[in-house]
Amino acid sequence: MQMGVENGEGAIAIKDKYKQSLGISSDADAGKTSKCFDDDGRSKRTGSVWTASAHIITAVIGSGVLSLAWAIAQLGWIAGPTVMLLFSFVTYYTAALLADCYRSGDPVTGKRNYTYMEAVESNLGGLKVKMCGLIQYLNLFGTAIGYTIAASISMMAIKRTNCFHESGGKNPCHISSNPYMILFGITEIIFSQIPDFDQIWWLSIIAAVMSFTYSSIGLALGIAKVAANGTISGSLTGVRIGTVTQAQKIWGSFQALGDISFAYSYSMILIEIQDTIKSPPSEAKTMKKATLLSVGVTTAFYMLCGCMGYAAFGDLSPGNLLTGFGIFNPFWLLDIANAAIVIHLVGAYQVYSQPLFAFVEKWAADKWPGNEFIIKEIKIPIPGFRPYNLNLFRLVWRTVFVIVSTVISMLLPFFNDVVGLLGAIGFWPLTVYIPVEMYIAQKKIAKWSSRWMCLQLLSIACLIISFAAAAGSIAGVVLDLKIYKPFQTSF
């Protein structure tokens, strides 16, 4: 089964007819370029270093930044920042390897791979394609769940602070998370109807600005709290035995690895982002610049937010940094930060979900090419704008996806555990193993050569980290389930 994702409108047959009407015969003329079309016959790509960086920052500086103070608290002042720097290096290095796999053969004129899975199929093929697809799309689905949980926590925080201050501190203001998850889900149903990845660039830019907003507020509040405390909290080894049991210390440290790996996770959508970039220069060259810029900026923010959060709260660092500042003044600043998180997650949800949306729609169009429910585009006029192309299958499928992810979020609203588990599941196979194997295959690196050995050692080391992180996160979920009642979570 062809498992590549095509970011286009409707079925291939409709696209070919459209190309023919403009003088492009179809794939046979894919090598011909014009002012309107690229070498593959698709509309001219317009992405740049800045738009690619916005997509990456939207994907990377997500809700994961809020758990970094807690992660550093589990590891301590030595291991915490060191692990974060190592993850940033591995993420950049493997992303650079993956960027070279966007085109098969010649890096400038070779066949384009429009999606992560198409790149895997071109370079590796076989069982690895299916394995990659299963893990990638499971991870994308899980990320949608994690972002729904995170958004509801921020919305509840806004409601609770306002409730607390309106009552003069007399009302404890316990709030259910369910209505806020439903509200977030309704918003995502609307935004999910944006047809293609390249049409959400404006949403990514807004989301990237919001991510810097709440990260900066968290950093500023952390600095203010350290100044108010008059001392830097924390220790070299993190949470002390006695405060927690030895088993909890081990599981917490493992889960912290998952939280940090989730905070850097975006390789699963890198090829899709790269497919929006214009050329020349080559897409790989531009993508590497965008990756270096984005990972550098995010690492600086992560170090500042994580370290200042730990310095402020020490062993008591919360799973969500902003909730640690409580419901007291400056509550309006916390409201702004939480609102920025919600806006950011609206965009980040789409950045991660669009590849999955496109995959299912491409698969359905290939499976039932003559089905009008799947391929027909209904033009809806919008005064002052271009008509909106409504596709009934897209409407139904994407709505069902959002509803299912929202219901699961309501059943399992464990932010830290979900974040850690997602990071553990996706980090090794998608961020390290597959990019390394594709790069070895494409560059024809000799087996047992020094370079081959170094790449394999990197992969094995990251596999061990992923196993440890998964074990810690699963242990956390098991502990939470012992005291949790479905659909009754309050804050």
Side-chain angles (χ1 to χ4, degrees):
M1 180 178 70
Q2 174 69 32
M3 300 185 73
V5 181
E6 179 175 343
N7 292 327
E9 296 182 48
I12 297 173
I14 288 179
K15 286 187 171 184
D16 285 342
K17 289 180 182 178
Y18 177 65
K19 289 178 187 177
Q20 289 168 8
S21 70
L22 292 168
I24 295 178
S25 63
S26 68
D27 293 338
D29 293 326
K32 299 179 181 179
T33 60
S34 71
K35 292 181 180 180
C36 299
F37 297 93
D38 275 327
D39 57 350
D40 59 348
R42 294 192 176 187
S43 297
K44 207 76 170 170
R45 292 160 176 82
T46 58
S48 63
V49 170
W50 302 109
T51 59
S53 297
H55 283 312
I56 295 170
I57 290 171
T58 298
V60 178
I61 302 185
S63 55
V65 70
L66 302 175
S67 66
L68 292 179
W70 179 89
I72 292 179
Q74 309 310 305
L75 299 170
W77 279 118
I78 296 177
T82 301
V83 168
M84 202 176 296
L85 287 174
L86 287 174
F87 270 104
S88 68
F89 170 75
V90 170
T91 299
Y92 169 71
Y93 181 70
T94 57
L97 299 183
L98 187 56
D100 283 331
C101 299
Y102 171 67
R103 287 185 183 265
S104 298
D106 190 276
V108 177
T109 61
K111 172 187 170 294
R112 295 175 186 262
N113 297 302
Y114 301 119
T115 68
Y116 191 108
M117 285 189 58
E118 284 190 13
V120 177
E121 189 169 35
S122 296
N123 290 282
L124 301 177
L127 183 62
K128 290 178 181 177
V129 178
K130 296 180 180 179
M131 180 195 78
C132 170
L134 178 64
I135 296 172
Q136 180 189 9
Y137 295 127
L138 179 63
N139 205 270
L140 292 173
F141 179 63
T143 300
I145 295 170
Y147 282 177
T148 302
I149 296 169
S152 71
I153 290 173
S154 293
M155 287 188 278
M156 286 191 295
I158 294 172
K159 176 65 177 176
R160 193 178 179 213
T161 53
N162 293 331
C163 168
F164 183 86
H165 285 278
E166 286 172 3
S167 67
K170 297 176 182 178
N171 188 343
C173 303
H174 293 299
I175 303 166
S176 171
S177 62
N178 294 335
Y180 298 96
M181 290 188 185
I182 293 171
L183 177 61
F184 184 78
I186 292 171
T187 303
E188 292 304 336
I189 287 174
I190 296 170
F191 279 100
S192 69
Q193 296 309 308
I194 299 174
D196 299 324
F197 202 119
D198 59 354
Q199 294 179 22
I200 63 170
W201 61 267
W202 59 273
L203 192 58
S204 283
I205 290 174
I206 293 172
V209 171
M210 292 298 104
S211 67
F212 283 121
T213 299
Y214 69 72
S215 298
S216 299
I217 291 174
L219 173 61
L221 290 173
I223 294 172
K225 188 168 179 63
V226 170
N229 293 340
T231 182
I232 295 177
S233 302
S235 64
L236 296 180
T237 56
V239 176
R240 297 173 180 82
I241 305 296
T243 305
V244 296
T245 65
Q246 187 170 4
Q248 288 174 328
K249 170 69 174 177
I250 293 172
W251 293 126
S253 298
F254 286 169
Q255 187 180 333
L257 296 176
D259 284 9
I260 295 173
S261 64
F262 177 80
Y264 279 104
S265 174
Y266 80 98
S267 292
M268 68 192 88
I269 57 172
L270 183 144
I271 296 291
E272 283 82 351
I273 293 173
Q274 193 167 346
D275 191 45
T276 67
I277 295 173
K278 63 185 176 184
S279 62
S282 71
E283 299 86 358
K285 186 175 182 180
T286 302
M287 194 65 193
K288 288 176 184 178
K289 287 182 180 178
T291 297
L292 180 61
L293 174 64
S294 304
V295 173
V297 170
T298 54
T299 299
F301 262 82
Y302 282 0
M303 292 293 284
L304 288 169
C305 291
C307 292
M308 289 310 302
Y310 183 42
F313 295 103
D315 290 353
L316 300 177
S317 295
N320 182 328
L321 177 61
L322 291 177
T323 63
F325 297 104
I327 53 180
F328 303 101
N329 290 319
F331 74 95
W332 57 269
L333 189 59
L334 287 171
D335 283 353
I336 292 173
N338 281 301
I341 290 172
V342 175
I343 296 171
H344 171 261
L345 292 177
V346 168
Y349 187 107
Q350 291 304 314
V351 169
Y352 275 98
S353 298
Q354 283 286 340
L356 180 52
F357 291 159
F359 164 70
V360 172
E361 287 153 23
K362 170 67 163 55
W363 174 81
D366 288 345
K367 186 76 172 176
W368 299 285
N371 191 314
E372 288 198 358
F373 175 74
I374 294 173
I375 67 172
K376 187 176 181 180
E377 301 279 354
I378 303 171
K379 290 191 178 294
I380 299 178
I382 303 175
F385 297 92
R386 289 184 299 177
Y388 174 74
N389 293 323
L390 175 65
N391 178 277
L392 293 178
F393 177 73
R394 181 170 66 227
L395 175 64
V396 173
W397 138 244
R398 296 188 182 192
T399 300
V400 170
F401 172 89
V402 175
I403 290 172
V404 172
S405 65
T406 302
V407 170
I408 294 176
S409 302
M410 293 163 68
L411 283 168
L412 298 170
F414 314 131
F415 176 66
N416 258 38
D417 299 331
V418 169
V419 163
L421 188 57
L422 288 172
I425 291 173
F427 176 68
W428 177 70
L430 299 178
T431 301
V432 182
Y433 175 70
I434 293 293
V436 163
E437 291 298 310
M438 284 199 295
Y439 185 78
I440 289 173
Q442 188 174 66
K443 301 299 182 182
K444 297 180 173 58
I445 298 174
K447 199 171 185 179
W448 305 113
S449 65
S450 58
R451 192 173 189 187
W452 184 91
M453 289 289 291
C454 289
L455 289 169
Q456 295 300 330
L457 286 173
L458 172 65
S459 183
I460 292 170
C462 292
L463 173 62
I464 294 170
I465 291 172
S466 286
F467 272 127
S473 298
I474 291 170
V477 171
V478 170
L479 289 173
D480 285 337
L481 285 173
K482 290 180 179 178
I483 58 173
Y484 171 66
K485 295 180 181 179
F487 298 112
Q488 296 183 23
T489 299
S490 63
F491 177 74

